[in-house]
Amino acid sequence: MTAMISKVLYHLLYALVYAISLLPFGVLYLISDALYVIVYHVARYRRDVVWKNLTSSFPEKDEQDLRRTERQFYHWFCDYIFETFKLLSISDERLLQHIEFRGVGAMEEVFDEGRDCAAILGHYCNWEWLSASGLAFKRYPQAVMGLIYHPLYNEDFDRLFIDIRSAHGGECIPKKDILRHLLGCKRDGRHYLFGYISDQLPKWENMHLWVDFLNHDTPVFTGAERIMRKVNDAVFYVDMERPCRGKYICTFRLITAEAAKEQEFDITRRFYELLEENIRRQPAYYLWTHNRWKRGREEFNLKYDVIDGKIIRKEEFK
């Protein structure tokens, strides 16, 4: 019975989102404007977190400037929701009128050499639209455009997001399976571009590297880099811009042609440098609702020891 109810709920959810996605962009943005009023002024969704993140990241800016960025962020955040829904029904041709991919030729040159590509990105602009990156390949239309994801707790929402992310050729792979999947692609001769969103907050036991990011001493994930180095992919940073509402420009910028030749953590450090450059150009389009700086180095040093590269919780805090 529970499985049947879940199946019904999923189909109802899918039907609702699909119906919304059929609306023209102009109508979706009108609905987004209404949602902005509710989210920003009425519900005040995570405004304390957003404000704390903005003021600590840009101490050089005055309150008026930061308030403007805050409002712009919430406007974009509401747009992001409906733009993501739109992926379910928009045609490939129409979508490519709204997102432009640059630097694809450099990735196809990597394929020419018999190697594969990784793209590293943050929660910036509409990262969901990057699931359509494979549409930009001219000489390698059969190449796999892969997305690494962490399954959602709610199975219905998880299935819906897989449907959205695969609507334009994206192949969704759970992060626990990614290395095995990449090795399988290489074995089968399938060229690929896999995207790694790498700006989440790691758990305490995964804090192997700290970087200076947006005026914060920031713990960062290094797992993506380890995988890239193991399979020796060419690594590209995904540089995104939003020149106007409903339009994105995605530029793939080469970080390294051979990940295995880079020193440990160099790829991750370079990624955060490029991401900060991106954010400082258009700060409103970063996901400021994440409380990504809630764990600090002082607390880490208090509770954990690093022994032979492993992070061990101290006895008194177990």
Side-chain angles (χ1 to χ4, degrees):
M1 180 62 71
T2 302
M4 179 61 71
I5 293 174
S6 179
K7 185 176 182 179
V8 170
L9 289 175
Y10 164 73
H11 285 294
L12 289 174
L13 179 63
Y14 184 95
L16 174 62
V17 173
Y18 188 84
I20 293 172
S21 77
L22 292 172
L23 296 172
F25 273 104
V27 176
L28 289 177
Y29 286 138
L30 285 175
I31 300 173
S32 176
D33 288 341
L35 181 62
Y36 161 78
V37 175
I38 297 171
V39 170
Y40 182 71
H41 291 287
V42 180
R44 299 178 65 85
Y45 174 69
R46 293 200 172 190
R47 279 186 56 175
D48 55 339
V49 174
V50 172
W51 185 246
K52 178 183 176 182
N53 286 341
L54 285 173
T55 53
S56 59
S57 296
F58 306 106
E60 74 281 4
K61 295 189 177 185
D62 61 29
E63 182 175 353
Q64 183 178 7
D65 192 4
L66 290 173
R67 289 296 182 192
R68 184 185 309 112
T69 299
E70 179 188 50
R71 292 190 296 271
Q72 290 172 344
F73 161 74
Y74 278 97
H75 272 295
W76 163 79
F77 181 69
C78 294
D79 284 356
Y80 156 80
I81 295 170
F82 292 102
E83 289 172 351
T84 299
F85 289 172
K86 191 69 176 174
L87 288 173
L88 268 182
S89 64
I90 192 172
S91 68
D92 293 346
E93 294 75 18
R94 183 72 191 282
L95 181 59
L96 289 175
Q97 295 175 12
H98 291 270
I99 183 166
E100 178 183 351
F101 295 101
R102 299 175 179 175
V104 176
M107 290 188 289
E108 293 191 317
E109 289 175 3
V110 173
F111 296 156
D112 289 341
E113 297 171 1
R115 298 185 300 109
D116 301 294
C117 301
I120 188 167
L121 60 142
H123 288 88
Y124 186 77
C125 283
N126 195 324
W127 58 91
E128 301 292 354
W129 279 21
L130 295 173
S131 62
S133 298
L135 300 177
F137 293 132
K138 303 301 182 184
R139 295 190 292 111
Y140 288 89
Q142 75 281 10
V144 178
M145 173 55 223
L147 304 103
I148 303 164
Y149 79 103
H150 180 73
L152 301 176
Y153 178 76
N154 184 288
E155 292 184 2
D156 298 322
F157 278 101
D158 190 58
R159 289 176 63 190
L160 176 62
F161 268 88
I162 289 175
D163 289 336
I164 289 173
R165 290 164 177 167
S166 60
H168 298 275
E171 188 171 309
C172 299
I173 306 298
K175 66 177 185 179
K176 65 181 179 63
D177 300 328
I178 184 57
L179 182 57
R180 182 169 62 251
H181 188 80
L182 294 181
L183 294 175
C185 286
K186 289 183 179 295
R187 183 187 60 245
D188 299 337
R190 302 171 67 204
H191 287 302
Y192 62 75
L193 166 67
F194 264 89
Y196 300 75
I197 297 183
S198 297
D199 61 338
Q200 303 99 325
L201 175 66
K203 295 179 180 179
W204 291 110
E205 60 269 23
N206 292 323
M207 293 181 180
H208 297 286
L209 176 66
W210 298 70
V211 300
D212 182 13
F213 175 59
L214 289 172
N215 201 45
H216 296 86
D217 190 18
T218 306
V220 298
F221 272 113
T222 57
E225 176 181 317
R226 288 197 298 272
I227 294 171
M228 295 168 187
R229 285 160 53 84
K230 187 176 292 289
V231 295
N232 197 27
D233 285 340
V235 181
F236 292 81
Y237 171 68
V238 182
D239 188 314
M240 291 197 75
E241 304 170 67
R242 197 186 197 219
C244 60
R245 202 176 199 183
K247 174 71 175 180
Y248 293 96
I249 298 173
C250 168
T251 303
F252 294 97
R253 298 173 59 181
L254 183 67
I255 292 179
T256 178
E258 296 187 60
K261 292 184 177 180
E262 299 298 319
Q263 294 294 313
E264 186 178 25
F265 302 144
D266 279 358
I267 293 172
T268 302
R269 290 190 179 98
R270 183 60 178 148
F271 160 66
Y272 273 94
E273 291 172 359
L274 292 169
L275 179 59
E276 179 162 342
E277 289 177 12
N278 221 168
I279 294 168
R280 288 188 178 280
R281 287 204 309 266
Q282 292 182 301
Y285 305 140
Y286 191 50
L287 191 59
W288 296 108
T289 49
H290 275 192
N291 192 9
R292 65 187 72 251
W293 291 295
K294 63 183 179 182
R295 297 175 187 147
R297 195 193 292 258
E298 184 176 347
E299 185 178 0
F300 175 82
N301 291 337
L302 176 66
K303 295 181 178 181
Y304 293 86
D305 287 320
V306 181
I307 303 174
D308 295 330
K310 294 182 179 181
I311 297 172
I312 308 297
R313 193 174 181 91
K314 295 179 180 179
E315 286 295 329
E316 60 267 36
F317 293 102
K318 288 184 178 179

PDB file of all heavy atoms in Angstrom, residues 38-58:
ATOM      1  N   ILE A  38       6.385  36.391  -1.635  1.00  0.00           N
ATOM      2  CA  ILE A  38       6.091  35.451  -0.548  1.00  0.00           C
ATOM      3  C   ILE A  38       7.376  35.002   0.144  1.00  0.00           C
ATOM      4  O   ILE A  38       7.479  35.027   1.377  1.00  0.00           O
ATOM      5  CB  ILE A  38       5.320  34.233  -1.094  1.00  0.00           C
ATOM      6  CG1 ILE A  38       3.962  34.677  -1.661  1.00  0.00           C
ATOM      7  CG2 ILE A  38       5.139  33.181  -0.006  1.00  0.00           C
ATOM      8  CD1 ILE A  38       3.227  33.585  -2.404  1.00  0.00           C
ATOM      9  N   VAL A  39       8.363  34.588  -0.645  1.00  0.00           N
ATOM     10  CA  VAL A  39       9.593  34.029  -0.085  1.00  0.00           C
ATOM     11  C   VAL A  39      10.403  35.085   0.654  1.00  0.00           C
ATOM     12  O   VAL A  39      10.906  34.843   1.758  1.00  0.00           O
ATOM     13  CB  VAL A  39      10.438  33.386  -1.210  1.00  0.00           C
ATOM     14  CG1 VAL A  39      11.828  33.006  -0.702  1.00  0.00           C
ATOM     15  CG2 VAL A  39       9.739  32.152  -1.762  1.00  0.00           C
ATOM     16  N   TYR A  40      10.512  36.285   0.055  1.00  0.00           N
ATOM     17  CA  TYR A  40      11.387  37.310   0.625  1.00  0.00           C
ATOM     18  C   TYR A  40      10.694  38.125   1.707  1.00  0.00           C
ATOM     19  O   TYR A  40      11.240  38.309   2.803  1.00  0.00           O
ATOM     20  CB  TYR A  40      11.881  38.234  -0.483  1.00  0.00           C
ATOM     21  CG  TYR A  40      12.847  39.304  -0.009  1.00  0.00           C
ATOM     22  CD1 TYR A  40      14.138  38.964   0.388  1.00  0.00           C
ATOM     23  CD2 TYR A  40      12.478  40.646   0.045  1.00  0.00           C
ATOM     24  CE1 TYR A  40      15.035  39.928   0.829  1.00  0.00           C
ATOM     25  CE2 TYR A  40      13.364  41.625   0.471  1.00  0.00           C
ATOM     26  CZ  TYR A  40      14.638  41.264   0.869  1.00  0.00           C
ATOM     27  OH  TYR A  40      15.518  42.220   1.305  1.00  0.00           O
ATOM     28  N   HIS A  41       9.488  38.605   1.424  1.00  0.00           N
ATOM     29  CA  HIS A  41       8.833  39.540   2.340  1.00  0.00           C
ATOM     30  C   HIS A  41       7.951  38.852   3.384  1.00  0.00           C
ATOM     31  O   HIS A  41       7.855  39.340   4.517  1.00  0.00           O
ATOM     32  CB  HIS A  41       7.990  40.541   1.544  1.00  0.00           C
ATOM     33  CG  HIS A  41       8.802  41.496   0.727  1.00  0.00           C
ATOM     34  ND1 HIS A  41       9.516  42.527   1.278  1.00  0.00           N
ATOM     35  CD2 HIS A  41       9.012  41.561  -0.619  1.00  0.00           C
ATOM     36  CE1 HIS A  41      10.144  43.204   0.327  1.00  0.00           C
ATOM     37  NE2 HIS A  41       9.855  42.633  -0.838  1.00  0.00           N
ATOM     38  N   VAL A  42       7.295  37.753   3.013  1.00  0.00           N
ATOM     39  CA  VAL A  42       6.348  37.114   3.930  1.00  0.00           C
ATOM     40  C   VAL A  42       7.027  35.991   4.729  1.00  0.00           C
ATOM     41  O   VAL A  42       7.137  36.061   5.953  1.00  0.00           O
ATOM     42  CB  VAL A  42       5.121  36.570   3.172  1.00  0.00           C
ATOM     43  CG1 VAL A  42       4.144  35.915   4.154  1.00  0.00           C
ATOM     44  CG2 VAL A  42       4.432  37.692   2.393  1.00  0.00           C
ATOM     45  N   ALA A  43       7.487  34.957   4.035  1.00  0.00           N
ATOM     46  CA  ALA A  43       8.116  33.836   4.730  1.00  0.00           C
ATOM     47  C   ALA A  43       9.513  34.173   5.238  1.00  0.00           C
ATOM     48  O   ALA A  43       9.994  33.562   6.191  1.00  0.00           O
ATOM     49  CB  ALA A  43       8.184  32.630   3.794  1.00  0.00           C
ATOM     50  N   ARG A  44      10.156  35.150   4.579  1.00  0.00           N
ATOM     51  CA  ARG A  44      11.521  35.570   4.946  1.00  0.00           C
ATOM     52  C   ARG A  44      12.456  34.355   4.992  1.00  0.00           C
ATOM     53  O   ARG A  44      13.248  34.182   5.922  1.00  0.00           O
ATOM     54  CB  ARG A  44      11.523  36.323   6.282  1.00  0.00           C
ATOM     55  CG  ARG A  44      10.693  37.582   6.275  1.00  0.00           C
ATOM     56  CD  ARG A  44      10.679  38.257   7.632  1.00  0.00           C
ATOM     57  NE  ARG A  44      11.994  38.729   8.022  1.00  0.00           N
ATOM     58  CZ  ARG A  44      12.523  39.913   7.664  1.00  0.00           C
ATOM     59  NH1 ARG A  44      11.822  40.740   6.909  1.00  0.00           N
ATOM     60  NH2 ARG A  44      13.726  40.251   8.054  1.00  0.00           N
ATOM     61  N   TYR A  45      12.359  33.541   3.958  1.00  0.00           N
ATOM     62  CA  TYR A  45      13.065  32.267   3.891  1.00  0.00           C
ATOM     63  C   TYR A  45      14.582  32.456   4.026  1.00  0.00           C
ATOM     64  O   TYR A  45      15.226  33.070   3.182  1.00  0.00           O
ATOM     65  CB  TYR A  45      12.737  31.559   2.574  1.00  0.00           C
ATOM     66  CG  TYR A  45      13.526  30.292   2.331  1.00  0.00           C
ATOM     67  CD1 TYR A  45      13.316  29.157   3.097  1.00  0.00           C
ATOM     68  CD2 TYR A  45      14.487  30.238   1.323  1.00  0.00           C
ATOM     69  CE1 TYR A  45      14.040  27.994   2.883  1.00  0.00           C
ATOM     70  CE2 TYR A  45      15.214  29.074   1.086  1.00  0.00           C
ATOM     71  CZ  TYR A  45      14.985  27.960   1.870  1.00  0.00           C
ATOM     72  OH  TYR A  45      15.700  26.814   1.652  1.00  0.00           O
ATOM     73  N   ARG A  46      15.136  31.967   5.113  1.00  0.00           N
ATOM     74  CA  ARG A  46      16.571  31.970   5.396  1.00  0.00           C
ATOM     75  C   ARG A  46      17.236  33.332   5.223  1.00  0.00           C
ATOM     76  O   ARG A  46      18.424  33.409   4.888  1.00  0.00           O
ATOM     77  CB  ARG A  46      17.283  30.929   4.535  1.00  0.00           C
ATOM     78  CG  ARG A  46      16.908  29.499   4.875  1.00  0.00           C
ATOM     79  CD  ARG A  46      17.940  28.522   4.378  1.00  0.00           C
ATOM     80  NE  ARG A  46      17.659  27.182   4.880  1.00  0.00           N
ATOM     81  CZ  ARG A  46      18.495  26.149   4.768  1.00  0.00           C
ATOM     82  NH1 ARG A  46      19.655  26.300   4.166  1.00  0.00           N
ATOM     83  NH2 ARG A  46      18.169  24.973   5.224  1.00  0.00           N
ATOM     84  N   ARG A  47      16.505  34.383   5.443  1.00  0.00           N
ATOM     85  CA  ARG A  47      17.089  35.706   5.243  1.00  0.00           C
ATOM     86  C   ARG A  47      18.229  35.972   6.217  1.00  0.00           C
ATOM     87  O   ARG A  47      19.178  36.697   5.886  1.00  0.00           O
ATOM     88  CB  ARG A  47      16.009  36.786   5.347  1.00  0.00           C
ATOM     89  CG  ARG A  47      15.212  36.928   4.054  1.00  0.00           C
ATOM     90  CD  ARG A  47      14.256  38.082   4.088  1.00  0.00           C
ATOM     91  NE  ARG A  47      14.875  39.363   4.371  1.00  0.00           N
ATOM     92  CZ  ARG A  47      14.221  40.519   4.352  1.00  0.00           C
ATOM     93  NH1 ARG A  47      12.922  40.540   4.044  1.00  0.00           N
ATOM     94  NH2 ARG A  47      14.841  41.649   4.627  1.00  0.00           N
ATOM     95  N   ASP A  48      18.157  35.382   7.415  1.00  0.00           N
ATOM     96  CA  ASP A  48      19.254  35.574   8.370  1.00  0.00           C
ATOM     97  C   ASP A  48      20.534  34.927   7.860  1.00  0.00           C
ATOM     98  O   ASP A  48      21.635  35.487   7.987  1.00  0.00           O
ATOM     99  CB  ASP A  48      18.871  35.025   9.739  1.00  0.00           C
ATOM    100  CG  ASP A  48      18.443  33.567   9.707  1.00  0.00           C
ATOM    101  OD1 ASP A  48      18.063  33.065   8.632  1.00  0.00           O
ATOM    102  OD2 ASP A  48      18.482  32.909  10.772  1.00  0.00           O
ATOM    103  N   VAL A  49      20.412  33.732   7.261  1.00  0.00           N
ATOM    104  CA  VAL A  49      21.579  33.039   6.715  1.00  0.00           C
ATOM    105  C   VAL A  49      22.150  33.800   5.524  1.00  0.00           C
ATOM    106  O   VAL A  49      23.372  33.991   5.416  1.00  0.00           O
ATOM    107  CB  VAL A  49      21.211  31.594   6.301  1.00  0.00           C
ATOM    108  CG1 VAL A  49      22.392  30.915   5.604  1.00  0.00           C
ATOM    109  CG2 VAL A  49      20.774  30.781   7.514  1.00  0.00           C
ATOM    110  N   VAL A  50      21.270  34.226   4.635  1.00  0.00           N
ATOM    111  CA  VAL A  50      21.717  34.955   3.445  1.00  0.00           C
ATOM    112  C   VAL A  50      22.435  36.245   3.842  1.00  0.00           C
ATOM    113  O   VAL A  50      23.517  36.553   3.317  1.00  0.00           O
ATOM    114  CB  VAL A  50      20.527  35.267   2.517  1.00  0.00           C
ATOM    115  CG1 VAL A  50      20.951  36.204   1.378  1.00  0.00           C
ATOM    116  CG2 VAL A  50      19.942  33.974   1.945  1.00  0.00           C
ATOM    117  N   TRP A  51      21.866  36.979   4.765  1.00  0.00           N
ATOM    118  CA  TRP A  51      22.463  38.245   5.177  1.00  0.00           C
ATOM    119  C   TRP A  51      23.818  38.032   5.859  1.00  0.00           C
ATOM    120  O   TRP A  51      24.783  38.753   5.602  1.00  0.00           O
ATOM    121  CB  TRP A  51      21.525  39.010   6.098  1.00  0.00           C
ATOM    122  CG  TRP A  51      22.018  40.377   6.459  1.00  0.00           C
ATOM    123  CD1 TRP A  51      22.402  40.835   7.679  1.00  0.00           C
ATOM    124  CD2 TRP A  51      22.212  41.471   5.550  1.00  0.00           C
ATOM    125  NE1 TRP A  51      22.814  42.141   7.605  1.00  0.00           N
ATOM    126  CE2 TRP A  51      22.698  42.565   6.308  1.00  0.00           C
ATOM    127  CE3 TRP A  51      22.006  41.648   4.189  1.00  0.00           C
ATOM    128  CZ2 TRP A  51      22.993  43.800   5.744  1.00  0.00           C
ATOM    129  CZ3 TRP A  51      22.307  42.877   3.615  1.00  0.00           C
ATOM    130  CH2 TRP A  51      22.797  43.930   4.386  1.00  0.00           C
ATOM    131  N   LYS A  52      23.884  37.017   6.708  1.00  0.00           N
ATOM    132  CA  LYS A  52      25.156  36.698   7.363  1.00  0.00           C
ATOM    133  C   LYS A  52      26.212  36.335   6.334  1.00  0.00           C
ATOM    134  O   LYS A  52      27.368  36.791   6.412  1.00  0.00           O
ATOM    135  CB  LYS A  52      24.959  35.533   8.340  1.00  0.00           C
ATOM    136  CG  LYS A  52      26.238  35.083   9.039  1.00  0.00           C
ATOM    137  CD  LYS A  52      25.975  33.885   9.940  1.00  0.00           C
ATOM    138  CE  LYS A  52      27.262  33.375  10.571  1.00  0.00           C
ATOM    139  NZ  LYS A  52      27.028  32.165  11.414  1.00  0.00           N
ATOM    140  N   ASN A  53      25.852  35.515   5.348  1.00  0.00           N
ATOM    141  CA  ASN A  53      26.807  35.115   4.308  1.00  0.00           C
ATOM    142  C   ASN A  53      27.264  36.303   3.467  1.00  0.00           C
ATOM    143  O   ASN A  53      28.458  36.439   3.158  1.00  0.00           O
ATOM    144  CB  ASN A  53      26.181  34.055   3.405  1.00  0.00           C
ATOM    145  CG  ASN A  53      26.092  32.691   4.060  1.00  0.00           C
ATOM    146  OD1 ASN A  53      26.779  32.417   5.038  1.00  0.00           O
ATOM    147  ND2 ASN A  53      25.235  31.831   3.528  1.00  0.00           N
ATOM    148  N   LEU A  54      26.336  37.173   3.104  1.00  0.00           N
ATOM    149  CA  LEU A  54      26.691  38.320   2.262  1.00  0.00           C
ATOM    150  C   LEU A  54      27.585  39.309   3.008  1.00  0.00           C
ATOM    151  O   LEU A  54      28.599  39.778   2.472  1.00  0.00           O
ATOM    152  CB  LEU A  54      25.425  39.025   1.780  1.00  0.00           C
ATOM    153  CG  LEU A  54      24.625  38.337   0.671  1.00  0.00           C
ATOM    154  CD1 LEU A  54      23.313  39.068   0.422  1.00  0.00           C
ATOM    155  CD2 LEU A  54      25.436  38.266  -0.621  1.00  0.00           C
ATOM    156  N   THR A  55      27.216  39.638   4.245  1.00  0.00           N
ATOM    157  CA  THR A  55      27.996  40.642   4.982  1.00  0.00           C
ATOM    158  C   THR A  55      29.393  40.134   5.331  1.00  0.00           C
ATOM    159  O   THR A  55      30.356  40.913   5.343  1.00  0.00           O
ATOM    160  CB  THR A  55      27.263  41.052   6.267  1.00  0.00           C
ATOM    161  OG1 THR A  55      26.938  39.882   7.034  1.00  0.00           O
ATOM    162  CG2 THR A  55      25.985  41.810   5.948  1.00  0.00           C
ATOM    163  N   SER A  56      29.529  38.844   5.610  1.00  0.00           N
ATOM    164  CA  SER A  56      30.843  38.302   5.941  1.00  0.00           C
ATOM    165  C   SER A  56      31.697  38.065   4.698  1.00  0.00           C
ATOM    166  O   SER A  56      32.930  38.080   4.770  1.00  0.00           O
ATOM    167  CB  SER A  56      30.699  37.006   6.737  1.00  0.00           C
ATOM    168  OG  SER A  56      29.975  36.028   6.004  1.00  0.00           O
ATOM    169  N   SER A  57      31.049  37.851   3.546  1.00  0.00           N
ATOM    170  CA  SER A  57      31.793  37.618   2.307  1.00  0.00           C
ATOM    171  C   SER A  57      32.259  38.914   1.656  1.00  0.00           C
ATOM    172  O   SER A  57      33.293  38.945   0.980  1.00  0.00           O
ATOM    173  CB  SER A  57      30.919  36.845   1.307  1.00  0.00           C
ATOM    174  OG  SER A  57      30.598  35.567   1.795  1.00  0.00           O
ATOM    175  N   PHE A  58      31.508  39.995   1.875  1.00  0.00           N
ATOM    176  CA  PHE A  58      31.831  41.280   1.243  1.00  0.00           C
ATOM    177  C   PHE A  58      31.869  42.393   2.292  1.00  0.00           C
ATOM    178  O   PHE A  58      31.037  43.312   2.271  1.00  0.00           O
ATOM    179  CB  PHE A  58      30.802  41.616   0.159  1.00  0.00           C
ATOM    180  CG  PHE A  58      30.624  40.545  -0.877  1.00  0.00           C
ATOM    181  CD1 PHE A  58      29.493  39.736  -0.884  1.00  0.00           C
ATOM    182  CD2 PHE A  58      31.586  40.329  -1.851  1.00  0.00           C
ATOM    183  CE1 PHE A  58      29.322  38.742  -1.835  1.00  0.00           C
ATOM    184  CE2 PHE A  58      31.425  39.342  -2.818  1.00  0.00           C
ATOM    185  CZ  PHE A  58      30.293  38.541  -2.803  1.00  0.00           C
TER     186      PHE A  58
END
